[in-house]
mmCIF file of all heavy atoms in Angstrom:
data_model
loop_
_atom_site.group_PDB
_atom_site.id
_atom_site.type_symbol
_atom_site.label_atom_id
_atom_site.label_comp_id
_atom_site.label_asym_id
_atom_site.label_seq_id
_atom_site.Cartn_x
_atom_site.Cartn_y
_atom_site.Cartn_z
ATOM 1 N N GLY A 1 99.847 189.844 44.979
ATOM 2 C CA GLY A 1 100.759 189.650 45.869
ATOM 3 C C GLY A 1 101.292 188.188 46.270
ATOM 4 O O GLY A 1 101.778 187.930 47.228
ATOM 5 N N SER A 2 100.672 187.212 45.429
ATOM 6 C CA SER A 2 100.941 185.925 45.702
ATOM 7 C C SER A 2 101.651 185.271 44.523
ATOM 8 O O SER A 2 101.518 185.747 43.390
ATOM 9 C CB SER A 2 99.517 185.098 46.056
ATOM 10 O OG SER A 2 99.013 185.670 47.238
ATOM 11 N N GLN A 3 102.109 184.017 44.806
ATOM 12 C CA GLN A 3 102.792 183.311 43.697
ATOM 13 C C GLN A 3 101.617 182.519 42.811
ATOM 14 O O GLN A 3 100.597 182.203 43.488
ATOM 15 C CB GLN A 3 103.704 182.310 44.148
ATOM 16 C CG GLN A 3 104.911 182.963 44.866
ATOM 17 C CD GLN A 3 105.821 183.737 44.033
ATOM 18 O OE1 GLN A 3 105.850 185.009 44.082
ATOM 19 N NE2 GLN A 3 106.492 183.000 43.080
ATOM 20 N N ARG A 4 101.981 182.223 41.713
ATOM 21 C CA ARG A 4 101.079 181.392 40.900
ATOM 22 C C ARG A 4 101.056 180.008 41.400
ATOM 23 O O ARG A 4 102.139 179.466 41.656
ATOM 24 C CB ARG A 4 101.374 181.514 39.413
ATOM 25 C CG ARG A 4 100.406 180.831 38.458
ATOM 26 C CD ARG A 4 100.737 181.095 36.998
ATOM 27 N NE ARG A 4 100.542 182.544 36.755
ATOM 28 C CZ ARG A 4 100.614 183.046 35.493
ATOM 29 N NH1 ARG A 4 100.765 182.283 34.479
ATOM 30 N NH2 ARG A 4 100.484 184.431 35.418
ATOM 31 N N GLU A 5 99.793 179.388 41.628
ATOM 32 C CA GLU A 5 99.820 178.049 42.166
ATOM 33 C C GLU A 5 98.996 177.182 41.320
ATOM 34 O O GLU A 5 98.202 177.685 40.637
ATOM 35 C CB GLU A 5 99.209 178.197 43.545
ATOM 36 C CG GLU A 5 97.840 178.679 43.722
ATOM 37 C CD GLU A 5 97.198 178.597 45.003
ATOM 38 O OE1 GLU A 5 97.723 177.677 45.925
ATOM 39 O OE2 GLU A 5 96.212 179.187 45.322
ATOM 40 N N LEU A 6 99.261 175.883 41.431
ATOM 41 C CA LEU A 6 98.602 174.791 40.671
ATOM 42 C C LEU A 6 97.238 174.779 41.271
ATOM 43 O O LEU A 6 97.122 174.629 42.484
ATOM 44 C CB LEU A 6 99.358 173.497 40.798
ATOM 45 C CG LEU A 6 98.638 172.250 40.440
ATOM 46 C CD1 LEU A 6 98.349 172.252 38.847
ATOM 47 C CD2 LEU A 6 99.304 170.929 41.000
ATOM 48 N N VAL A 7 96.235 174.569 40.428
ATOM 49 C CA VAL A 7 94.895 174.236 40.691
ATOM 50 C C VAL A 7 94.686 172.825 40.385
ATOM 51 O O VAL A 7 94.311 171.980 41.270
ATOM 52 C CB VAL A 7 93.852 175.085 40.136
ATOM 53 C CG1 VAL A 7 92.458 174.673 40.497
ATOM 54 C CG2 VAL A 7 94.123 176.599 40.602
ATOM 55 N N ALA A 8 94.723 172.461 39.050
ATOM 56 C CA ALA A 8 94.558 171.078 38.582
ATOM 57 C C ALA A 8 95.208 170.966 37.262
ATOM 58 O O ALA A 8 95.214 171.941 36.448
ATOM 59 C CB ALA A 8 93.150 170.690 38.543
ATOM 60 N N THR A 9 95.656 169.683 36.917
ATOM 61 C CA THR A 9 96.066 169.377 35.483
ATOM 62 C C THR A 9 95.407 168.001 35.244
ATOM 63 O O THR A 9 95.089 167.158 35.952
ATOM 64 C CB THR A 9 97.573 169.234 35.460
ATOM 65 O OG1 THR A 9 98.065 168.186 36.248
ATOM 66 C CG2 THR A 9 98.248 170.493 35.793
ATOM 67 N N ILE A 10 95.399 167.843 33.843
ATOM 68 C CA ILE A 10 94.608 166.665 33.241
ATOM 69 C C ILE A 10 95.539 166.381 32.020
ATOM 70 O O ILE A 10 95.631 167.284 31.072
ATOM 71 C CB ILE A 10 93.219 166.728 33.150
ATOM 72 C CG1 ILE A 10 92.690 165.378 32.601
ATOM 73 C CG2 ILE A 10 92.807 167.939 32.327
ATOM 74 C CD1 ILE A 10 91.135 165.404 32.715
ATOM 75 N N THR A 11 95.939 165.152 31.788
ATOM 76 C CA THR A 11 96.584 164.774 30.538
ATOM 77 C C THR A 11 95.626 164.314 29.483
ATOM 78 O O THR A 11 94.314 164.161 29.823
ATOM 79 C CB THR A 11 97.659 163.546 30.719
ATOM 80 O OG1 THR A 11 96.767 162.330 31.004
ATOM 81 C CG2 THR A 11 98.562 163.839 32.002
ATOM 82 N N ASN A 12 95.895 164.088 28.277
ATOM 83 C CA ASN A 12 95.062 163.640 27.136
ATOM 84 C C ASN A 12 94.574 162.340 27.562
ATOM 85 O O ASN A 12 93.488 161.874 27.066
ATOM 86 C CB ASN A 12 95.794 163.629 25.815
ATOM 87 C CG ASN A 12 97.047 162.652 25.866
ATOM 88 O OD1 ASN A 12 98.090 163.053 26.335
ATOM 89 N ND2 ASN A 12 96.897 161.547 25.258
ATOM 90 N N GLY A 13 95.307 161.462 28.310
ATOM 91 C CA GLY A 13 94.918 160.183 28.815
ATOM 92 C C GLY A 13 94.032 160.310 30.196
ATOM 93 O O GLY A 13 93.834 159.202 30.772
ATOM 94 N N PHE A 14 93.653 161.407 30.572
ATOM 95 C CA PHE A 14 92.833 161.790 31.633
ATOM 96 C C PHE A 14 93.413 161.392 33.083
ATOM 97 O O PHE A 14 92.658 161.165 33.991
ATOM 98 C CB PHE A 14 91.450 160.972 31.529
ATOM 99 C CG PHE A 14 90.832 161.200 30.185
ATOM 100 C CD1 PHE A 14 90.774 160.209 29.315
ATOM 101 C CD2 PHE A 14 90.311 162.452 29.861
ATOM 102 C CE1 PHE A 14 90.092 160.440 27.979
ATOM 103 C CE2 PHE A 14 89.751 162.714 28.673
ATOM 104 C CZ PHE A 14 89.689 161.754 27.708
ATOM 105 N N ALA A 15 94.696 161.452 33.073
ATOM 106 C CA ALA A 15 95.428 161.310 34.460
ATOM 107 C C ALA A 15 95.276 162.793 35.024
ATOM 108 O O ALA A 15 95.632 163.833 34.424
ATOM 109 C CB ALA A 15 96.817 160.979 34.241
ATOM 110 N N ILE A 16 94.955 162.844 36.277
ATOM 111 C CA ILE A 16 94.585 164.036 36.970
ATOM 112 C C ILE A 16 95.408 164.255 38.194
ATOM 113 O O ILE A 16 95.694 163.385 38.880
ATOM 114 C CB ILE A 16 93.129 164.107 37.358
ATOM 115 C CG1 ILE A 16 92.204 163.968 36.044
ATOM 116 C CG2 ILE A 16 92.777 165.418 38.190
ATOM 117 C CD1 ILE A 16 90.764 163.901 36.406
ATOM 118 N N THR A 17 95.934 165.653 38.435
ATOM 119 C CA THR A 17 96.544 165.927 39.698
ATOM 120 C C THR A 17 95.792 167.226 40.127
ATOM 121 O O THR A 17 95.309 168.030 39.372
ATOM 122 C CB THR A 17 97.978 166.230 39.559
ATOM 123 O OG1 THR A 17 98.182 167.319 38.550
ATOM 124 C CG2 THR A 17 98.773 165.101 38.929
ATOM 125 N N TYR A 18 95.550 167.328 41.435
ATOM 126 C CA TYR A 18 95.119 168.491 42.003
ATOM 127 C C TYR A 18 96.049 169.054 43.053
ATOM 128 O O TYR A 18 96.717 168.465 43.719
ATOM 129 C CB TYR A 18 93.684 168.009 42.861
ATOM 130 C CG TYR A 18 92.535 167.727 41.935
ATOM 131 C CD1 TYR A 18 92.074 166.487 41.790
ATOM 132 C CD2 TYR A 18 91.900 168.782 41.241
ATOM 133 C CE1 TYR A 18 90.978 166.111 41.012
ATOM 134 C CE2 TYR A 18 90.727 168.485 40.430
ATOM 135 C CZ TYR A 18 90.367 167.181 40.263
ATOM 136 O OH TYR A 18 89.209 166.975 39.458
ATOM 137 N N GLY A 19 96.010 170.426 43.048
ATOM 138 C CA GLY A 19 96.655 171.204 44.029
ATOM 139 C C GLY A 19 95.787 171.198 45.377
ATOM 140 O O GLY A 19 94.543 170.919 45.317
ATOM 141 N N ASP A 20 96.498 171.639 46.398
ATOM 142 C CA ASP A 20 95.719 171.610 47.674
ATOM 143 C C ASP A 20 94.696 172.673 47.690
ATOM 144 O O ASP A 20 93.716 172.535 48.472
ATOM 145 C CB ASP A 20 96.737 172.002 48.768
ATOM 146 C CG ASP A 20 97.715 170.901 49.124
ATOM 147 O OD1 ASP A 20 97.457 169.662 48.778
ATOM 148 O OD2 ASP A 20 98.839 171.132 49.727
ATOM 149 N N SER A 21 94.761 173.701 46.814
ATOM 150 C CA SER A 21 93.762 174.644 46.789
ATOM 151 C C SER A 21 92.357 174.141 46.272
ATOM 152 O O SER A 21 91.415 174.707 46.612
ATOM 153 C CB SER A 21 94.219 175.881 45.884
ATOM 154 O OG SER A 21 94.443 175.382 44.708
ATOM 155 N N ALA A 22 92.461 173.003 45.557
ATOM 156 C CA ALA A 22 91.176 172.456 45.098
ATOM 157 C C ALA A 22 90.320 171.890 46.240
ATOM 158 O O ALA A 22 89.123 172.002 46.246
ATOM 159 C CB ALA A 22 91.462 171.347 44.103
ATOM 160 N N LYS A 23 90.894 171.170 47.199
ATOM 161 C CA LYS A 23 90.303 170.771 48.414
ATOM 162 C C LYS A 23 89.027 170.022 48.298
ATOM 163 O O LYS A 23 88.064 170.046 49.041
ATOM 164 C CB LYS A 23 90.080 171.963 49.285
ATOM 165 C CG LYS A 23 91.238 172.733 49.791
ATOM 166 C CD LYS A 23 90.894 174.001 50.693
ATOM 167 C CE LYS A 23 92.150 174.708 50.994
ATOM 168 N NZ LYS A 23 91.676 175.993 51.890
ATOM 169 N N GLY A 24 89.060 169.300 47.137
ATOM 170 C CA GLY A 24 87.892 168.473 46.864
ATOM 171 C C GLY A 24 86.718 169.191 46.295
ATOM 172 O O GLY A 24 85.584 168.660 46.123
ATOM 173 N N ARG A 25 86.867 170.518 46.135
ATOM 174 C CA ARG A 25 85.692 171.263 45.697
ATOM 175 C C ARG A 25 85.703 171.554 44.138
ATOM 176 O O ARG A 25 84.680 171.798 43.642
ATOM 177 C CB ARG A 25 85.694 172.667 46.432
ATOM 178 C CG ARG A 25 85.758 172.641 47.999
ATOM 179 C CD ARG A 25 85.868 174.022 48.518
ATOM 180 N NE ARG A 25 87.209 174.486 48.236
ATOM 181 C CZ ARG A 25 87.381 175.628 47.652
ATOM 182 N NH1 ARG A 25 86.441 176.442 47.212
ATOM 183 N NH2 ARG A 25 88.619 176.010 47.436
ATOM 184 N N PHE A 26 86.929 171.365 43.533
ATOM 185 C CA PHE A 26 86.962 171.509 42.103
ATOM 186 C C PHE A 26 87.075 170.181 41.340
ATOM 187 O O PHE A 26 87.588 169.168 41.894
ATOM 188 C CB PHE A 26 88.123 172.468 41.797
ATOM 189 C CG PHE A 26 88.123 173.790 42.488
ATOM 190 C CD1 PHE A 26 89.204 174.630 42.412
ATOM 191 C CD2 PHE A 26 86.938 174.372 43.087
ATOM 192 C CE1 PHE A 26 89.318 175.864 43.015
ATOM 193 C CE2 PHE A 26 86.943 175.521 43.661
ATOM 194 C CZ PHE A 26 88.125 176.378 43.645
ATOM 195 N N THR A 27 86.669 170.251 40.119
ATOM 196 C CA THR A 27 86.796 169.041 39.190
ATOM 197 C C THR A 27 87.291 169.559 37.887
ATOM 198 O O THR A 27 86.685 170.406 37.316
ATOM 199 C CB THR A 27 85.480 168.368 39.102
ATOM 200 O OG1 THR A 27 84.991 167.895 40.416
ATOM 201 C CG2 THR A 27 85.652 167.079 38.135
ATOM 202 N N ILE A 28 88.310 168.908 37.416
ATOM 203 C CA ILE A 28 88.868 169.236 36.150
ATOM 204 C C ILE A 28 88.477 168.087 35.255
ATOM 205 O O ILE A 28 88.396 166.929 35.658
ATOM 206 C CB ILE A 28 90.409 169.346 36.161
ATOM 207 C CG1 ILE A 28 90.899 169.923 34.801
ATOM 208 C CG2 ILE A 28 91.123 168.107 36.523
ATOM 209 C CD1 ILE A 28 92.445 170.328 34.869
ATOM 210 N N SER A 29 88.161 168.481 34.008
ATOM 211 C CA SER A 29 87.812 167.517 32.954
ATOM 212 C C SER A 29 88.224 168.169 31.571
ATOM 213 O O SER A 29 88.694 169.264 31.466
ATOM 214 C CB SER A 29 86.376 167.215 32.957
ATOM 215 O OG SER A 29 85.551 168.424 32.694
ATOM 216 N N ARG A 30 88.291 167.170 30.599
ATOM 217 C CA ARG A 30 88.515 167.727 29.179
ATOM 218 C C ARG A 30 87.768 166.893 28.261
ATOM 219 O O ARG A 30 87.279 165.769 28.343
ATOM 220 C CB ARG A 30 90.203 167.589 29.001
ATOM 221 C CG ARG A 30 90.648 166.214 28.995
ATOM 222 C CD ARG A 30 92.206 166.293 28.856
ATOM 223 N NE ARG A 30 92.663 166.609 27.617
ATOM 224 C CZ ARG A 30 93.813 167.093 27.183
ATOM 225 N NH1 ARG A 30 94.821 167.079 28.216
ATOM 226 N NH2 ARG A 30 94.144 167.419 26.012
ATOM 227 N N ASP A 31 87.660 167.569 27.070
ATOM 228 C CA ASP A 31 87.016 166.997 25.772
ATOM 229 C C ASP A 31 88.099 167.047 24.749
ATOM 230 O O ASP A 31 88.388 168.042 24.184
ATOM 231 C CB ASP A 31 85.721 167.801 25.412
ATOM 232 C CG ASP A 31 85.073 167.143 24.366
ATOM 233 O OD1 ASP A 31 85.668 166.406 23.561
ATOM 234 O OD2 ASP A 31 83.836 167.206 24.240
ATOM 235 N N ASN A 32 88.741 165.877 24.465
ATOM 236 C CA ASN A 32 89.842 165.917 23.566
ATOM 237 C C ASN A 32 89.394 166.321 22.023
ATOM 238 O O ASN A 32 90.230 166.751 21.366
ATOM 239 C CB ASN A 32 90.423 164.457 23.531
ATOM 240 C CG ASN A 32 91.280 164.291 24.789
ATOM 241 O OD1 ASN A 32 91.763 165.200 25.448
ATOM 242 N ND2 ASN A 32 91.438 162.880 25.161
ATOM 243 N N ALA A 33 88.206 165.866 21.750
ATOM 244 C CA ALA A 33 87.657 166.166 20.446
ATOM 245 C C ALA A 33 87.597 167.625 20.188
ATOM 246 O O ALA A 33 87.621 168.208 19.094
ATOM 247 C CB ALA A 33 86.281 165.445 20.173
ATOM 248 N N LYS A 34 87.182 168.451 21.315
ATOM 249 C CA LYS A 34 87.182 169.834 21.322
ATOM 250 C C LYS A 34 88.267 170.601 21.777
ATOM 251 O O LYS A 34 88.325 171.843 21.723
ATOM 252 C CB LYS A 34 85.961 170.253 22.200
ATOM 253 C CG LYS A 34 84.640 169.787 21.757
ATOM 254 C CD LYS A 34 83.418 170.229 22.557
ATOM 255 C CE LYS A 34 82.109 169.738 22.135
ATOM 256 N NZ LYS A 34 80.957 170.163 22.984
ATOM 257 N N ASN A 35 89.328 169.883 22.145
ATOM 258 C CA ASN A 35 90.632 170.537 22.718
ATOM 259 C C ASN A 35 90.327 171.486 23.666
ATOM 260 O O ASN A 35 90.873 172.552 23.759
ATOM 261 C CB ASN A 35 91.433 171.178 21.448
ATOM 262 C CG ASN A 35 91.866 170.212 20.460
ATOM 263 O OD1 ASN A 35 92.368 169.079 20.806
ATOM 264 N ND2 ASN A 35 91.791 170.535 19.166
ATOM 265 N N THR A 36 89.408 171.145 24.667
ATOM 266 C CA THR A 36 88.946 172.005 25.730
ATOM 267 C C THR A 36 88.959 171.289 27.137
ATOM 268 O O THR A 36 88.868 170.104 27.094
ATOM 269 C CB THR A 36 87.432 172.237 25.402
ATOM 270 O OG1 THR A 36 87.269 172.963 24.137
ATOM 271 C CG2 THR A 36 86.898 173.224 26.504
ATOM 272 N N VAL A 37 89.516 172.142 27.913
ATOM 273 C CA VAL A 37 89.643 171.735 29.368
ATOM 274 C C VAL A 37 88.613 172.616 30.051
ATOM 275 O O VAL A 37 88.466 173.808 29.915
ATOM 276 C CB VAL A 37 91.071 171.855 29.810
ATOM 277 C CG1 VAL A 37 91.553 173.289 29.928
ATOM 278 C CG2 VAL A 37 91.144 171.223 31.294
ATOM 279 N N TYR A 38 88.007 171.932 31.256
ATOM 280 C CA TYR A 38 86.995 172.691 32.011
ATOM 281 C C TYR A 38 87.540 172.590 33.478
ATOM 282 O O TYR A 38 88.233 171.685 33.931
ATOM 283 C CB TYR A 38 85.723 171.973 31.909
ATOM 284 C CG TYR A 38 85.197 171.894 30.489
ATOM 285 C CD1 TYR A 38 85.475 170.726 29.673
ATOM 286 C CD2 TYR A 38 84.482 172.911 29.929
ATOM 287 C CE1 TYR A 38 84.909 170.619 28.444
ATOM 288 C CE2 TYR A 38 83.921 172.784 28.552
ATOM 289 C CZ TYR A 38 84.202 171.746 27.880
ATOM 290 O OH TYR A 38 83.860 171.483 26.591
ATOM 291 N N LEU A 39 87.048 173.563 34.303
ATOM 292 C CA LEU A 39 87.334 173.552 35.679
ATOM 293 C C LEU A 39 85.876 173.881 36.347
ATOM 294 O O LEU A 39 85.521 175.077 36.306
ATOM 295 C CB LEU A 39 88.307 174.427 36.192
ATOM 296 C CG LEU A 39 88.699 174.565 37.680
ATOM 297 C CD1 LEU A 39 89.329 173.174 38.006
ATOM 298 C CD2 LEU A 39 89.560 175.697 38.029
ATOM 299 N N GLN A 40 85.371 172.834 36.976
ATOM 300 C CA GLN A 40 84.138 173.141 37.686
ATOM 301 C C GLN A 40 84.383 173.364 39.138
ATOM 302 O O GLN A 40 85.075 172.600 39.670
ATOM 303 C CB GLN A 40 83.260 171.830 37.603
ATOM 304 C CG GLN A 40 81.905 171.968 38.360
ATOM 305 C CD GLN A 40 80.995 172.986 37.798
ATOM 306 O OE1 GLN A 40 80.703 173.052 36.571
ATOM 307 N NE2 GLN A 40 80.427 173.942 38.621
ATOM 308 N N MET A 41 84.006 174.582 39.589
ATOM 309 C CA MET A 41 84.389 175.226 40.857
ATOM 310 C C MET A 41 83.091 175.214 41.657
ATOM 311 O O MET A 41 82.254 176.017 41.323
ATOM 312 C CB MET A 41 85.133 176.540 40.802
ATOM 313 C CG MET A 41 86.408 176.337 40.075
ATOM 314 S SD MET A 41 87.374 177.969 40.034
ATOM 315 C CE MET A 41 86.178 179.041 39.185
ATOM 316 N N ASN A 42 83.060 174.483 42.785
ATOM 317 C CA ASN A 42 81.831 174.618 43.612
ATOM 318 C C ASN A 42 82.296 174.995 45.069
ATOM 319 O O ASN A 42 83.500 174.987 45.425
ATOM 320 C CB ASN A 42 81.230 173.173 43.846
ATOM 321 C CG ASN A 42 80.702 172.597 42.402
ATOM 322 O OD1 ASN A 42 80.227 173.352 41.637
ATOM 323 N ND2 ASN A 42 80.860 171.303 42.169
ATOM 324 N N SER A 43 81.385 175.398 45.847
ATOM 325 C CA SER A 43 81.601 175.846 47.227
ATOM 326 C C SER A 43 82.813 176.821 47.240
ATOM 327 O O SER A 43 83.594 176.802 47.944
ATOM 328 C CB SER A 43 82.008 174.701 48.120
ATOM 329 O OG SER A 43 80.990 173.692 48.045
ATOM 330 N N LEU A 44 82.735 177.940 46.354
ATOM 331 C CA LEU A 44 83.711 178.855 46.303
ATOM 332 C C LEU A 44 83.688 179.730 47.532
ATOM 333 O O LEU A 44 82.805 180.017 48.267
ATOM 334 C CB LEU A 44 83.390 179.756 45.044
ATOM 335 C CG LEU A 44 83.747 179.116 43.789
ATOM 336 C CD1 LEU A 44 83.056 179.898 42.635
ATOM 337 C CD2 LEU A 44 85.146 179.020 43.622
#
């Protein structure tokens, strides 16, 4: 029943943006060698 919303993004150069929903609780990271992005979610 809700719209899709931004949580976080990260460029290959590690520039990061967070949506309001992250509220300092989430951390986005990436490993370029593995082509993998992670989202660590705490205090859910």
Side-chain angles (χ1 to χ4, degrees):
S2 300
Q3 299 293 110
R4 188 169 298 187
E5 65 173 336
L6 166 72
V7 178
T9 64
I10 182 170
T11 71
N12 61 285
F14 308 110
I16 295 173
T17 61
Y18 287 108
D20 290 340
S21 58
K23 299 179 179 179
R25 300 174 295 123
F26 300 170
T27 302
I28 191 169
S29 62
R30 64 185 290 166
D31 185 333
N32 290 336
K34 298 180 179 179
N35 294 318
T36 301
V37 64
Y38 306 94
L39 183 69
Q40 179 66 46
M41 304 187 294
N42 298 324
S43 302
L44 284 163

